[in-house]
Amino acid sequence: MVTLNNGVEIPQLGFGVFQVPVDEAQQATLSALEVGYRHIDTAQSYRNEKQVGLAVVESGLPRSEVFVTSKLGNGFHAPTDARWAFERTLGELGFDYLDLFLIDWPADEVADFVETWQVFEELLASCAVRAIGVSNFQPQHLERLLAATDVIPAVNQIEVHPYFTQDALREQNRANGIATEAWSPIAQGKVLGDETIGAIAARHGKTPAQVTLRWHIQRGDIVFPKSTTPARVAENFDLFDFELSDDDVTAITALNRDDRTGPNPDTMNMVPDRQRELRP
Ligand SMILES: NC(=O)c1ccc[n+]([C@@H]2O[C@H](COP(=O)([O-])OP(=O)(O)OC[C@H]3O[C@@H](n4cnc5c(N)ncnc54)[C@H](OP(=O)(O)O)[C@@H]3O)[C@@H](O)[C@H]2O)c1
């Protein structure tokens, strides 16, 4: 568990459902819950919140035992839309509260994200959500938000993996009491053929994915690898019977080449048409 800046606890290892097709999302989430995951990361733009909620019910687990995150779509940053879109998320999930709600991208095509954040603060005060945070915020976005608002984000969810270690932004998060969540933690598979990671994995009798995820865990970040392959879902959860040495962690961190897998938040200002279509 990681304790967030408002005292809420989040499981450090979760399951991500980006690009999990709607017709597979319920079963994939259920399988993850059966393996032992207690933290699911979804978003309005993934279009599978409903299936995540159904899986939580089907698992038979008490709602309070599963930590669920969702994220506001870029098309819904205007304050009235943000309120409506949050209610829609709760309805899709079938929940009466959400654990963590994030501004998905610092997009300002529709509204200033500071205004959006003020709605997030209201949602937090109303206890409809247990913690609020941001995603893909670069240093300048964080500085502007922190200067303009009262509640410090609990997390900043950003792309982090051995080829994009993000140490300056992670340090900025840490210095402000913001937990780092590392998305695409195995770079969508790109780091798994790396020689250094392979050699460390062989030494520990683990797979490259397990070593990479363990590296994130030992750096203190929160991760939620995605897989729709049952054996990999189990493999990615089996991280707690070995420990990387300081030298291993240093060697993996040294693989950084500032190589992004996903979009650059400085230029990503997209409001997909399919999000506009959802607006009432
Ligand atoms: N906030 C944001 O903007 C943002 C952006 C991207 C992602 N995210 C979040 O982060 C989560 C994870 O990121 P991601 O889905 O982009 O990438 P990822 O978890 O780094 O990688 C997923 C890919 O790796 C494969 N894989 C998973 N485990 C493996 C293993 N043990 N061995 C070999 N291959 C493996 C999966 O294939 P199979 O499924 O075929 O097994 C899939 O193709 C997302 O699901 C989402 O929740 C957030």
Side-chain angles (χ1 to χ4, degrees):
M1 293 296 223
V2 168
T3 304
L4 301 176
N5 61 14
N6 66 348
V8 166
E9 290 197 320
I10 180 171
Q12 194 179 2
L13 176 60
F15 181 69
V17 294
F18 176 47
Q19 292 176 328
V20 177
V22 170
D23 59 351
E24 293 175 41
Q26 184 173 343
Q27 186 52 49
T29 306
L30 181 64
S31 306
L33 293 170
E34 285 170 354
V35 163
Y37 293 81
R38 292 292 180 267
H39 165 187
I40 310 294
D41 184 87
T42 184
Q44 292 174 349
S45 65
Y46 304 172
R47 295 294 191 100
N48 53 23
E49 292 169 306
K50 189 181 192 117
Q51 288 67 35
V52 167
L54 289 170
V56 172
V57 172
E58 196 181 347
S59 73
L61 290 163
R63 165 72 186 91
S64 58
E65 281 192 24
V66 186
F67 190 104
V68 177
T69 299
S70 192
K71 315 183 193 87
L72 181 72
N74 292 350
F76 307 134
H77 280 202
T80 46
D81 284 342
R83 286 188 196 95
W84 162 81
F86 176 77
E87 290 304 325
R88 184 180 189 281
T89 278
L90 280 189
E92 290 287 294
L93 287 163
F95 293 170
D96 54 11
Y97 69 90
L98 186 65
D99 295 284
L100 177 62
F101 197 42
L102 309 181
I103 296 182
D104 206 338
W105 291 87
D108 55 10
E109 186 183 313
V110 171
D112 181 347
F113 60 71
V114 171
E115 289 175 31
T116 319
W117 186 250
Q118 284 157 356
V119 175
F120 276 51
E121 292 181 338
E122 287 169 21
L123 294 171
L124 184 69
S126 74
C127 299
V129 60
R130 297 173 68 220
I132 53 176
V134 295
S135 177
N136 296 303
F137 271 44
Q138 297 278 69
Q140 72 277 15
H141 303 124
L142 272 186
E143 278 162 25
R144 191 151 76 78
L145 188 67
L146 293 175
T149 60
D150 296 330
V151 178
I152 296 174
V155 311
N156 186 13
Q157 183 178 126
I158 55 175
E159 180 176 348
V160 186
H161 46 73
Y163 290 166
F164 191 48
T165 55
Q166 291 262 45
D167 288 318
L169 184 49
R170 289 173 64 258
E171 175 51 28
Q172 185 182 4
N173 288 340
R174 195 202 57 74
N176 285 290
I178 300 169
T180 295
E181 294 193 330
W183 64 252
S184 292
I186 57 172
Q188 299 197 337
K190 202 163 64 181
V191 300
L192 301 183
D194 186 275
E195 257 181 42
T196 300
I197 293 174
I200 294 171
R203 213 165 355 92
H204 287 279
K206 302 298 278 190
T207 66
Q210 288 169 326
V211 161
T212 305
L213 294 168
R214 181 76 205 188
W215 169 80
H216 286 283
I217 296 275
Q218 289 187 211
R219 277 163 42 106
D221 292 352
I222 298 160
V223 278
F224 22 81
K226 171 264 172 186
S227 176
T228 46
T229 311
R232 290 174 176 173
V233 175
E235 173 187 331
N236 295 346
F237 197 70
D238 181 18
L239 307 180
F240 299 101
D241 62 350
F242 76 112
E243 195 169 347
L244 299 174
S245 67
D246 290 348
D247 285 350
D248 292 337
V249 171
T250 303
I252 296 171
T253 306
L255 296 174
N256 180 50
R257 44 177 94 153
D258 289 335
D259 183 9
R260 287 184 190 275
T261 295
N264 185 329
D266 285 331
T267 49
M268 162 84 170
N269 200 12
M270 185 183 74
V271 180
D273 284 343
R274 58 195 162 80
Q275 286 184 18
R276 293 185 213 276
E277 285 161 19
L278 284 178
R279 208 180 274 165

